[in-house]
Amino acid sequence: MAENVQQSPYRKAKTWHIALSSMTGVVQMAFYVLLGYAAYIGNLGYAIATGVVGILITLSRVFDSVTDPIIAIFIEKFKSRFGKMRFFLIIGWLCMAIATTLLCNVFAGHFSFSDEAQTLSSPAGIAVFIAIYVLYIIGYTFVSCIGNMTGNILTNDPKQRPMLGVWQVIYSYLSPMIISMVIIVAILPKFGVPIALPDGGTDYQWTNEVFFYSNFIVVGVSFLALVAVCIGLAPYDKMENFESINKTKVSFKDMWLLIKDNKELGRYIIAASSDKLAQTIGSQSVITTLLFSVILGSMVGSSIISIIAMLPSIIFAFIGAKLAGKQGNKKVMIFWSWICIAWNVLFSLFILFVPEKSAGSFGFPLILFFLLMLGNNALKMVVSSATGAMRMDIVDYELERSGKYLPATVAAVYSFIDKLISSLAPMLATLLIGIVGYTGSKIPQAGDELTWGIRIITAVLYCGLPIIGWLLTEWSMIKFSLTKERMEDIQKNIAAQKALEIEKDNGEVLGAEKPVDEKDQSEKPSQEDNNDSSK
């Protein structure tokens, strides 16, 4: 029996189950898009200075990282005959939906700056903003932990796992793209403040009403995704799928041992979190406003071009998954990170020298912008496919190493460190743009004067920091040992260990029955006693 298990160490999931289960990314990213405008929501709705909003979000994300290990251990320990993943997903969604509704629909617009110059933030606005944001963080942590567990629960096949990552990447890119399109193309022009441009065009400034109606879109889309995820997870959300090899209880000590002893997790965290920090900074709304509106001259037009450039690049998610399944995640990350570095050097030169307001009309600068966005998105897709699958490999490596199945804990340890690092993004973005004059109540808006300082800051934040992140990825992958061949051995070893545990348990059961047999035998008269009695 053990031999049969070793010969078939892989389990597979149905494609439609993977497609639905991976929509946790839609639940997360729908709210993430809305809270990407937190600098504007805090400034316009709660009378909080731009730099202060960045600091508040940073502190909130530090709190977010602290909640990860606590919630992860709670999820690992939780047992129910109905499973655990769907239960915590629903709790997480409710927390986020209530928080954004309070933030955008209930309390926004009821606060004002403490001085006429609009430089001193409203203390009441800060207090309310923080309280609501904490609720959002707790909900996001629940959904994030479950989303990071999904891949390991569904499949351990090295060829299927990267494809699961493809679905996650597609949802993580498509959902914010579509929601952003709705906000920028439909809601912003209707409820924003129109600004006449020198070339005769029109751009729009953000208002509280934009976020008021955007929240309804976000809550509705995320709810439909939540239902889909619950349907996809139903066949797999069973307690037997969460058991370790040695069946010992999980504690905070295991989390410490994971950090201390699992060197591959440490290397993965350096690679993934450095990329995440850089790209999170570049995606901040204040930075995209500088690039799309102030430099290129059209928030709506540039956003449409950016979104159109995203669609063909999704094909590269499939290419990345195929390459990862064939070559291994490590090899794909190393090669394609170098390509990303070279591409972003070219993109930064474009930002520095592209003609001002060139997105207002069709021409070579607009075509070049489209091609650069297309290539940038495509290359990131390839790296993201390998990065997501690599985290699943870490879980299985830990199972082989320690005998403990810790998908939520591995996700929490990664998230804890990742969020501590990426929490710097809003603060760095808002503080660094302060160098070029965006302080107090002043925040990047359409119609701002373009300066060389704005060009340089935008190039550094949008392209320069990602380049540093990819360089750190290359460095961390030098000693990373989980190659394609090593992962094949790990799956065989796990199957063999589980088979031995089953045989051991069966042996213990038989051993427990043996004393009873001996007792029964002792009560029976022996053959010698029978001979004596016959005499």
Side-chain angles (χ1 to χ4, degrees):
M1 180 177 178
E3 292 182 359
N4 292 335
V5 175
Q6 292 181 42
Q7 291 172 0
S8 302
Y10 302 128
R11 65 180 186 279
K12 294 187 177 183
K14 294 181 179 180
T15 301
W16 72 273
H17 286 156
I18 292 177
L20 293 182
S21 300
S22 300
M23 291 186 76
T24 50
V26 179
V27 179
Q28 290 176 267
M29 294 309 298
F31 289 102
Y32 183 81
V33 169
L34 183 62
L35 269 297
Y37 297 103
Y40 289 92
I41 295 172
N43 184 270
L44 300 173
Y46 293 83
I48 306 175
T50 306
V52 176
V53 175
I55 295 173
L56 291 178
I57 296 173
T58 295
L59 295 176
S60 299
R61 286 186 65 83
V62 171
F63 169 76
D64 185 10
S65 66
V66 174
T67 62
D68 278 338
I70 299 172
I71 289 176
I73 293 295
F74 182 67
I75 291 174
E76 300 280 23
K77 288 177 173 291
F78 182 84
K79 291 186 178 181
S80 165
R81 62 192 182 95
F82 302 108
K84 64 173 74 178
M85 301 179 77
R86 291 165 294 173
F87 175 73
F88 289 112
L89 273 173
I90 293 171
I91 290 178
W93 179 84
L94 283 173
C95 289
M96 290 192 292
I98 292 172
T100 57
T101 301
L102 292 175
L103 197 65
C104 299
N105 300 86
V106 177
F107 293 109
H110 296 291
F111 306 92
S112 57
F113 284 91
S114 299
D115 61 336
E116 293 183 2
Q118 294 190 336
T119 56
L120 297 178
S121 303
S122 165
I126 292 175
V128 174
F129 185 87
I130 291 176
I132 297 174
Y133 207 84
V134 165
L135 177 62
Y136 163 76
I137 284 171
I138 293 173
Y140 191 88
T141 301
F142 274 115
V143 176
S144 178
C145 283
I146 298 302
N148 289 329
M149 292 172 59
T150 302
N152 288 93
I153 299 301
L154 291 177
T155 178
N156 66 345
D157 189 308
K159 292 185 178 180
Q160 193 176 44
R161 270 188 175 172
M163 292 307 298
L164 187 143
V166 168
W167 286 103
Q168 293 175 337
V169 168
I170 289 174
Y171 291 139
S172 295
Y173 278 85
L174 272 182
S175 54
M177 179 180 14
I178 294 172
I179 294 171
S180 296
M181 174 76 84
V182 172
I183 293 175
I184 293 172
V185 176
I187 299 179
L188 178 60
K190 187 172 183 179
F191 299 101
V193 177
I195 297 294
L197 299 177
D199 60 1
T202 303
D203 209 348
Y204 302 90
Q205 293 186 347
W206 301 98
T207 64
N208 285 323
E209 288 75 16
V210 172
F211 305 116
F212 182 94
Y213 291 101
S214 296
N215 183 59
F216 292 122
I217 302 295
V218 166
V219 172
V221 169
S222 62
F223 175 75
L224 294 176
L226 174 71
V227 173
V229 174
C230 290
I231 293 172
L233 284 176
Y236 309 91
D237 192 11
K238 301 174 182 178
M239 289 313 301
E240 57 263 30
N241 290 333
F242 299 91
E243 292 182 351
S244 301
I245 293 175
N246 52 26
K247 297 181 174 63
T248 55
K249 293 183 178 180
V250 179
S251 65
F252 281 103
K253 181 180 179 182
D254 294 304
M255 188 170 290
W256 162 245
L257 293 175
L258 181 67
I259 298 172
K260 184 172 72 74
D261 299 331
N262 194 321
K263 305 301 182 185
E264 306 305 335
L265 175 61
R267 295 183 180 107
Y268 170 78
I269 287 173
I270 292 173
S273 59
S274 59
D275 291 351
K276 178 74 173 294
L277 170 62
Q279 294 178 29
T280 301
I281 292 175
S283 66
Q284 295 297 304
S285 57
V286 290
I287 306 304
T288 55
T289 300
L290 286 176
L291 176 58
F292 293 170
S293 191
V294 180
I295 295 177
L296 294 175
S298 176
M299 187 68 186
V300 175
S302 299
S303 298
I304 293 174
I305 291 295
S306 176
I307 291 170
I308 294 174
M310 177 68 71
L311 294 174
S313 65
I314 292 176
I315 298 172
F316 282 78
F318 290 93
I319 295 174
K322 291 293 184 182
L323 290 173
K326 184 178 181 180
Q327 301 175 0
N329 299 312
K330 175 184 175 179
K331 192 171 183 179
V332 170
M333 283 185 67
I334 290 175
F335 179 79
W336 289 92
S337 289
W338 282 120
I339 305 298
C340 286
I341 290 171
W343 196 268
N344 274 263
V345 170
L346 296 176
F347 207 148
S348 62
L349 293 175
F350 170 83
I351 293 173
L352 290 174
F353 299 107
V354 64
E356 182 179 355
K357 314 298 182 186
S358 56
S361 59
F362 183 79
F364 178 74
L366 194 61
I367 295 173
L368 185 57
F369 173 65
F370 169 76
L371 294 176
L372 287 169
M373 289 296 296
L374 174 62
N376 210 26
N377 295 332
L379 295 172
K380 289 178 182 178
M381 286 284 190
V382 177
V383 176
S384 295
S385 296
T387 304
M390 187 176 283
R391 185 167 59 247
M392 302 177 210
D393 291 346
I394 299 292
V395 174
D396 289 338
Y397 169 70
E398 178 63 23
L399 179 59
E400 183 211 35
R401 190 189 70 83
S402 67
K404 295 186 176 181
Y405 190 57
L406 306 171
T409 307
V410 169
V413 169
Y414 164 70
S415 294
F416 173 72
I417 299 173
D418 171 68
K419 288 177 180 178
L420 277 178
I421 296 173
S422 62
S423 64
L424 298 172
M427 182 177 69
L428 286 174
T430 53
L431 290 180
L432 287 174
I433 65 174
I435 297 174
V436 291
Y438 292 103
T439 58
S441 62
K442 188 176 181 182
I443 196 165
Q445 292 276 21
D448 290 352
E449 180 184 357
L450 176 60
T451 64
W452 266 106
I454 288 177
R455 285 185 183 270
I456 293 171
I457 283 294
T458 305
V460 168
L461 296 180
Y462 198 79
C463 298
L465 291 183
I467 289 173
I468 295 174
W470 285 311
L471 288 173
L472 287 173
T473 295
E474 299 293 349
W475 176 76
S476 64
M477 287 290 106
I478 293 174
K479 294 185 178 181
F480 191 78
S481 66
L482 300 185
T483 61
K484 179 177 181 290
E485 295 74 21
R486 176 73 177 99
M487 287 310 303
E488 291 174 353
D489 292 337
I490 284 175
Q491 295 300 342
K492 293 176 182 177
N493 293 340
I494 290 172
Q497 290 177 43
K498 287 184 176 180
L500 288 174
E501 284 295 319
I502 292 173
E503 291 178 359
K504 181 181 177 181
D505 292 341
N506 291 337
E508 290 177 352
V509 171
L510 293 174
E513 295 174 353
K514 188 174 180 180
V516 177
D517 294 339
E518 290 177 348
K519 182 179 179 181
D520 292 342
Q521 187 66 30
S522 66
E523 292 177 352
K524 297 179 182 179
S526 64
Q527 183 66 35
E528 186 178 346
D529 292 338
N530 290 337
N531 292 337
D532 291 340
S533 62
S534 63
K535 293 178 181 179

